[in-house]
Amino acid sequence: LQDRSQSISSSPYHDLLPLLKRSQFWLIAIPIVGISVVTFGVMGCLVPMMGDRGSSPAMIALTLSTAGIGSWIGRPLIGYSVDKVFAPRIAAVVFFLALLGVIIISVGPIGSPTLVGATLLGLTLGAEGDLVTYLASRYFKPQEYSQVLGLMWVAWAWGGSLGTATVGLAFRATSHYTASMLIFELVLVICMSLLRKLGPYLVIHRTDDQEQSDNTCVDVGDFMLPARTSSTTATTIRADR
């Protein structure tokens, strides 16, 4: 039994268990999976969906280009915003814009409305990578960061596969894309509700000039904790360093 316990403690998965038990992990991971499901699913079916509606190849190409331009604008804008505003709020806004984009694409006529929807959805393309790296650094200690981020990227990849599979299965069952669009809209609503449950940052770096509602922090060395954090937590972090 002793040998078995030693082998378990030395397993590379042993250190992951405490991370998986923390609510912050799932409150970040599930929305990342969700936005991956939606973006891969919608963008993957956009060409055949527009083709079924009678859109010309030129219009389809313009729509995809518009989504790419939206991504090009969105990533630096979101990266700048999370340094100034509480990041979960920025993430919720991004998800809301994606929700609007999906609704417009699913019910709007071909033409300018589709371009607007593609632009809104394009703002989120790649943004999940910026958001997850920032959120992981604010809710997990530096020594946990690489493990958390690796798990998040795996979840993101699984989400993309699930999104494209959802579109295919829904289309096979119903012969249209309405069902999958409704699923994606529901996924985004759930993700936004989960992001609202993320509390104040648990790790606040000294270089931040960002202000939160609870901006009084306890100094624990290379990073700081919100003042509401218990002394036990602060002591634990000091001991880990």
Side-chain angles (χ1 to χ4, degrees):
L1 292 176
Q2 184 176 2
D3 293 340
R4 184 177 179 182
S5 62
Q6 289 177 350
S7 63
I8 293 175
S9 62
S10 61
S11 170
Y13 303 104
H14 178 72
D15 294 338
L16 299 179
L17 295 179
L19 301 178
L20 297 178
K21 293 178 181 179
R22 290 172 57 179
S23 61
Q24 290 87 358
F25 178 87
W26 297 105
L27 291 175
I28 297 172
I30 294 175
I32 292 301
V33 172
I35 195 65
S36 179
V37 167
V38 173
T39 54
F40 276 85
V42 175
M43 296 306 298
C45 75
L46 191 57
V47 172
M49 181 172 64
M50 293 182 66
D52 290 348
R53 293 180 179 179
S55 181
S56 66
M59 185 63 190
I60 294 174
L62 178 60
T63 303
L64 294 177
S65 299
T66 303
I69 293 173
S71 176
W72 182 76
I73 295 173
R75 295 199 65 176
L77 181 61
I78 292 169
Y80 176 81
S81 298
V82 294
D83 279 334
K84 303 298 180 182
V85 182
F86 188 49
R89 294 178 184 172
I90 298 298
V93 170
V94 169
F95 281 54
F96 180 72
L97 293 177
L99 176 61
L100 289 180
V102 173
I103 293 174
I104 293 172
I105 290 173
S106 61
V107 302
I110 297 298
S112 298
T114 305
L115 293 178
V116 173
T119 301
L120 292 175
L121 188 61
L123 291 172
T124 68
L125 293 175
E128 69 275 8
D130 301 328
L131 289 171
V132 70
T133 52
Y134 192 91
L135 290 172
S137 71
R138 291 301 186 256
Y139 289 97
F140 296 91
K141 294 178 287 185
Q143 57 267 41
E144 300 169 336
Y145 181 77
S146 60
Q147 290 177 314
V148 171
L149 197 58
L151 291 172
M152 296 290 182
W153 280 120
V154 171
W156 173 83
W158 285 351
S161 301
L162 182 60
T164 52
T166 299
V167 173
L169 293 173
F171 185 82
R172 179 178 295 181
T174 62
S175 299
H176 56 72
Y177 296 99
T178 304
S180 58
M181 293 296 133
L182 290 175
I183 292 173
F184 294 153
E185 292 163 12
L186 178 61
V187 167
L188 288 171
V189 171
I190 293 173
C191 291
M192 286 189 290
S193 66
L194 291 176
L195 288 168
R196 289 173 57 88
K197 296 180 181 298
L198 277 171
Y201 296 149
L202 300 182
V203 177
I204 303 178
H205 298 276
R206 289 182 180 277
T207 55
D208 279 354
D209 58 358
Q210 185 182 33
E211 292 185 359
Q212 293 180 230
S213 57
D214 298 326
N215 56 2
T216 303
C217 301
V218 178
D219 190 351
V220 292
D222 293 337
F223 48 90
M224 305 176 76
L225 297 177
R228 72 166 70 177
T229 304
S230 66
S231 59
T232 302
T233 303
T235 303
T236 301
I237 293 180
R238 286 195 187 97
D240 288 343
R241 294 184 63 249

